[in-house]
Every structure is written in structure tokens, then in C-alpha cells.
Amino acid sequence: MTNVARTGQTLLVVASSMLFAAVTSAMVVRRGIGGDWVAPELPAWVWATAVLGPLASWLILRGWVRGAVIAGGLLVGLQVLVLAELRMAVIGEAFLSVLVAAHAIHAAAGVAALARWGERAGLFWHFVGALWIYVLFLFGVWA
Amino acid sequence: MFSTDHKVIGKQYIGLALFSVFLGMLLSLVMRFHLVHPDTKVRLFQMLWPEGAPGGQMTPELYLSLMTMHGTIMVFFVLTTAPQSGFGNYFLPLQIGAHDMAFPVLNMLSFWTTALSLVTLLLAFLVEGGAPLSGWTAYPPLSGLGKITGPGQGLGQDLWILSIAMFCVASLMGAINIIVTVIELRAPGMGYFDMPLTCWGWFVTALISLFAFAVLLPGGVLLLLDRVAGTSFFIPGGLIVNDQVQGRSGGSPLLFQHLFWFFGHPEVYIAILPGMGVISTVLSVFSGKKVFGYKAMAVAMLAIGGLGFVVWGHHMFISGMSPYSSIAFSVLTMAVGVPSAVKTFNWLATLWGGRLRFTAAMHYALGFVSLFITGGITGLVLGQPGLDIYFHDTYFVVAHFHLIMGVAAVFAIWAALHYWFPKMYGRFLNERLGKIHFFLTFVGVYAVFVPLHFAGFVGNPRRYPDFKEYEFLKSVTGLHMGVTHAAYFLAAVQLIFLFNYFWSQRRGAVAPGNPWGATTREWTDD
Ligand code: HEM
Ligand SMILES: [Cu+2]
């Protein structure tokens, strides 16, 4: 990976982290003062998707980018399924939708980048995988 | 057209900003006219805005939509584009000895996303209901409920949010490009502290943009969802608008204000820091001296950028925040005064004992320092919660931010244009016209904005379409009349600049390679 590609991806990671931090803090505030918070329920299979990010990362490191693209694409597809179930009028689920959708956009971009640039886009993908675990953690453990 | 050359893209951004600044100015003239002639019917208004000015009589809603578009165009499409993306694109690679930006295609995409965002915004004028009413800050609930809150709050407000969201994406891409270029593409042997201060300005601004726009973007998305998906991020429960209960629950309008100002205050530095860099260069070149305290200047920029993220609460003193938070935000706000003062004193010290050459660019640079001091001092006034509770949402704030953000940043753009024109077009901007334009403009801006402080003293609220119903504002009727005439004058003298800008591209005196005797690389490299 060239220095330019690495620094570019690192900055993208910084910007995306900031974006997710903003939504998280909005959620913390909204949950605290709204008085109408109900923790969203996710179907059990959703937790299993946490492995897809790291699985793809592992495949990238093994040099099997096509496998990583498939795993990543699967993640995006499952995220769309989750989104279809969520109700926007319920605030907890609305936040979850925003985070899942934002993540799905990142994951789709990550998959596209892997397909186009192969291992060189790996750094961004590792971040995307970790970010999904963060989102699941946020709702599974905290919310 | 879809060039990936940084110089072309730089000029495209400058062109976009130039179009925007004149459009924004025209809107402001219409507003100033209406403020002093609220009952005059104007045929042109009816032709332009049949819904907003039936029979030529401007409605309050039309006034507010003009105000919203004026502010949005100026803040985003002028102050955020020309200094950073315009001059930054053109000169950053040249000054650090890079061939181009790190990601030329991304650069091209950033520009065209910005252009699309401008088109989207302007479309709001054409759709049913017209442009939105909620100002450049778009506070909910007004901005979050749709048509029921007024014409322009339907599709117009949707387009506004979409436009800003696109602008965020474009700015994030632009910021990444600039930061990577600075970090990775400096000429061999050039350390960070060997870069000209202009590059520091663009670098720090890009860092600020990276964090600030990453917060505005989700803020805008949540607002849009409140409008189109029935969520309650920002809309409180039991809200009644036009006798209708809105059926939402638990949302917090203040949450939006926090997200907005976490972006909004850093945004003001996005507008001014590139200008500060330019001013440092221009003052030093035309004093025949190095910048006084170079390192302190660079560090001051970093400090301003950093502190800029912890002072947003000073826009919310009246929001009912705890007095302890107010004090904290107030103290931090005052702290920004320190690096700001460092910069000001270093500019003066740069001039001190120099062999001054009063070129047009030098005039604008000195004008910038003057405006920065005038506007900065009122910032310290507004940073006091006790005073701000009175001044908030009055014309005092209008005066403050126009002087420091609006006008100072635009003076920096003029300084940059006069200074770099020979590089960009191989010819000089006419020096004499430049100086005449400078003096008339300098008088004009002070004539417009100094009196507005006094309007603020008597408690004159901002964002009101007219003042005729208010007994206590009778005392400032004459003042507003004067301001409006000063605004006509100010707008008229801009024709001098416009003429100079286009005429000199073809007919200006041909410039030699390094006309000002500068030491930075852009004059010797290509
Ligand atoms: C020492 C420096 C500064 C201080 C202490 C300061 C303080 C403040 C405060 C307290 C307000 C809020 C007033 C209110 O709404 O009641 C304000 C508003 C504003 N300031 Fe400053 N400021 C400073 C520098 C700047 C600079 C450098 C810029 C732009 C380049 C700027 C642009 C603005 C703008 C645009 C607003 C109005 C926003 C709005 O409500 O629409 N300020 N400032
Ligand atoms: Cu501020």
C-alpha cells in the first residue's frame, strides 16, 4: 500500500468515526431526556453477523479478496433485511436504523473498494468490520 | 470541464464563489430595501416571486426565505469554497512542490458535488412554496415539520437539507485530499514548519472540516428523517402547530442546536483561517520582512482550530443551559482570544520597521487586520453570558459576524486575488482600480455594519421582516435608512471589482514571473 493510500484511508476512518460518534452522542442525549426510550429488540441471528467483518478481514490478509467481497456483500444484504424490520416512529429503532444504514453504506463502499483495489483497500475494511461490532455492542449491551 | 488538474479546479471553485457572492449580495439588497420600505409594492418582486409577493407586496415569509438563502449561499458557497477549496487547490500543491493534489479524481468529484449542491439549493427558489424560512442554522421544530410551518418549509426545506448534506460530503472529500497532500506530498526535505503560513491555513482548515462536517452531516440526516420518516429526534411531544397536535414524542430541539453549533463554530474558522494565512504572506511580502513569529503563527492556527471545537455553547447561552456550563463555555471562548491576539500582534510586528509597499493586495490585507480587530472585540463581548442574553438574536450579533466572518474573510479573498492574479492569469489586476475599490468598500462596510451595533444596543431583533409595529424601534428608523443606503453604495462599488476582474484577465498589464519579489515556490515552479 502506498503512503498516500494509507493516509487517505486513515483520514476516512477518522471522519467516519467522528460521524458515528456524533450519532452515538445524539442517541445518549435523546435517550436520557426523551422519556420514551424502549430498547430495540433484534432477532438472534443478527448477532451472528458480527463475525462477517473479521472473517472478511482474515480473508483479505490471506490474500483471498474475492472471498472477502462475498462475505462483505452478505453483510450488506443482511443489514438491509434488518432495516426492513425497524419502525421509524419508535425512537430507539430509529437510531438503530440510522446506525445500521450508515454502516451499510460504509460496508457497501468497502466492498466496492475491495473489488476495485483489492488488498490495498484492506485498511478501510478492517475499520468497517470493527465498526459493525461497535454498533451491535451499542444496542446489544448498552441500549 | 471535468478536469482533474488542481489549477483548473481551483479556478472553478473561485468562479462558483464569485457567482454565489453576487447572487447573495443581490438578495441582501432586496432585504435591506424591504426593511425600510415594508409597504412598498414592487412589480419586480411579483414577477420573481408570485407566491411570495402577491401584488408586489413582500410577505414576511418571502423576507425570511431571502434571508435563509442569503446566509446559506454566503456561508457555504462563498466563505467555505473560495478561501479553502479555491485558493487551496490552486496554490497548496505549488507551494509545497507537489505535482497535483493527492487524489485528483476525488478532487474533481468534490467540486462537482459542490456545484450540484449549489444547484439543489437554488432549486428551492423554484419549487412550490419557495425557499425555506429557517435561516442558515435551520433550527427545528420550524425546520423539522414540513409545510405546516410555512411556505418554503415543504419541498424547499427538503432541498436545503439535501444541498447541505451534499456539501458536507464534498467538503469531507476535499478535506481528506488537502490533508493527505500536506502530509505525504511535501517536497523532499520540507518539514511542516518549513511550509508557508498559507499552507498551514489550508492544512488546519482541512483538519477542522474533517471533524466539523462529519457532525453536520448526520445532524442534517436526522433532521430530514424527522421531516419525511416521522421520527422524533428533534420534535418534542405534544407540539401544537397551527392548532394541530403533531403526534411526536420526546424529541429535543436543543439536541439539534448542539449538533449544529458543534459544526457551526468551527465553521467560522473554516471561513477565516485560510484568509489568515494569505494575510500573513501578503503583509510579509509587502513589508520586505519575514513573518514575525512564524512558529507562533502556525501554532496559533492549531490552537484556534482546537479551541474552536469546545466553544459551541456560546451560541446557546439563552437555551436555558446551566450557569456552570455557561461559565465554562465563556471562559473557553475568551481563551480563543489569546491565539487570535497572538496573530494580530504578530501581523503588526511584521509591519513594524518594514519597507512597506502599498499595493492593492497590501491595502486589503491591512483592511483585513482592521476588520478582524473590530469584529473580534465584539466577539469577546458576546462571549459574556450576561451580555449575550441581551444581545443574542439582535443586530449586534449581525454586526459582529458580518465584520469578522463576512467581510474580513472577503477582504482576504480580495487580497489573495490581487496577489496571485499574475500567477493565475499572467497579468496584473489593475492596481489603481483595486485601490479605489478598496477605499470605497472599506468605507462602505463600516458604514453598513458599525451602526448595526447600535441597533443591537436598543434591542433590535434580527430575522424580523420589518420593524414598523414596534414602538421601541422607532428610534432606529433613521439608522436603518442610513444602513440601507450604505448597502446600496457598497453594492454599487462592487461593480468596480467585477470590471477589474474580467477586464484584467484580457487586458491587464502583463506580469513577469515573480512580480512581487516573493520567496515561496509557486512563483518559480509550474
Ligand atoms: C475571539 C473571537 C470570537 C469570539 C469571542 C466570538 C464570540 C461569538 C459569540 C459569543 C457569538 C454568539 C452570539 C449570539 O448568537 O448571541 C458569536 C456569533 C457568531 N460569530 Fe463569533 N466570535 C469570535 C470570532 C468569530 C470569527 C473569527 C468568526 C468568523 C470567521 C465569527 C463568526 C460568528 C458568526 C457567523 C456568528 C453568528 C452565528 C449565528 O447566530 O447565525 N466569530 N460569536
Ligand atoms: Cu461561535
Side-chain angles (χ1 to χ4, degrees), chain B residues 1-14 90:
Chain B
M1 213 174 139
F2 294 100
S3 169
T4 54
D5 177 350
H6 69 104
K7 288 187 191 168
V8 176
I9 295 174
K11 281 187 183 173
Q12 286 174 324
Y13 268 115
I14 293 171
Y90 200 108

Side-chain angles (χ1 to χ4, degrees), chain A residues 27-106:
Chain A
M27 189 169 106
V28 174
V29 171
R30 177 64 180 78
R31 179 191 180 205
I33 61 180
D36 57 350
W37 189 268
V38 189
E41 298 281 342
L42 284 175
W45 61 265
V46 175
W47 308 114
T49 60
V51 301
L52 284 170
L55 172 68
S57 287
W58 182 74
L59 290 169
I60 295 169
L61 293 178
R62 300 298 306 265
W64 202 44
V65 174
R66 189 173 309 168
V69 168
I70 293 169
L74 183 62
L75 176 60
V76 178
L78 293 173
Q79 285 174 329
V80 174
L81 287 184
V82 176
L83 280 175
E85 294 297 310
L86 295 171
R87 295 161 301 170
M88 295 305 270
V90 183
I91 189 64
E93 296 187 24
F95 267 109
L96 183 56
S97 309
V98 169
L99 287 165
V100 174
H103 191 276
I105 293 170
H106 279 75

Side-chain angles (χ1 to χ4, degrees), chain B residues 66-148:
Chain B
L66 298 177
M67 179 207 78
T68 301
M69 296 296 265
H70 163 79
T72 309
I73 289 171
M74 290 301 201
V75 170
F76 290 99
F77 295 95
V78 179
L79 299 178
T80 313
T81 55
Q84 174 74 358
S85 313
F87 292 109
N89 258 307
Y90 200 108
F91 290 103
L92 173 75
L94 295 179
Q95 289 195 327
I96 61 174
H99 289 300
D100 201 327
M101 298 291 268
F103 306 109
V105 175
L106 188 71
N107 205 13
M108 181 271 286
L109 287 175
S110 310
F111 171 75
W112 285 104
T113 310
T114 308
L116 193 64
S117 150
L118 177 59
V119 172
T120 308
L121 179 72
L122 296 182
L123 270 182
F125 269 130
L126 306 178
V127 298
E128 199 205 324
L133 317 177
S134 53
W136 81 283
T137 51
Y139 282 1
L142 180 58
S143 62
L145 287 168
K147 265 202 213 104
I148 188 164

Side-chain angles (χ1 to χ4, degrees), chain B residues 397-458:
Chain B
V397 176
V398 176
H400 159 70
F401 73 73
H402 275 92
L403 283 177
I404 197 153
M405 175 163 177
V407 194
V410 174
F411 268 54
I413 297 176
W414 280 320
L417 270 180
H418 278 264
Y419 179 70
W420 277 320
F421 204 79
K423 175 72 193 179
M424 296 168 70
Y425 295 101
R427 292 171 187 273
F428 288 100
L429 273 171
N430 185 289
E431 281 284 300
R432 175 179 301 230
L433 282 181
K435 287 177 204 172
I436 294 172
H437 170 257
F438 165 80
F439 280 112
L440 297 177
T441 303
F442 192 67
V443 171
V445 292
Y446 272 119
V448 170
F449 293 113
V450 168
L452 292 182
H453 293 94
F454 295 96
F457 285 159
V458 300

Side-chain angles (χ1 to χ4, degrees), chain B residues 117 120-121 157-168 224:
Chain B
S117 150
T120 308
L121 179 72
Q157 184 75 57
D158 290 330
L159 287 170
W160 186 95
I161 299 173
L162 276 178
S163 162
I164 296 308
M166 279 189 254
F167 193 90
C168 290
L224 196 62

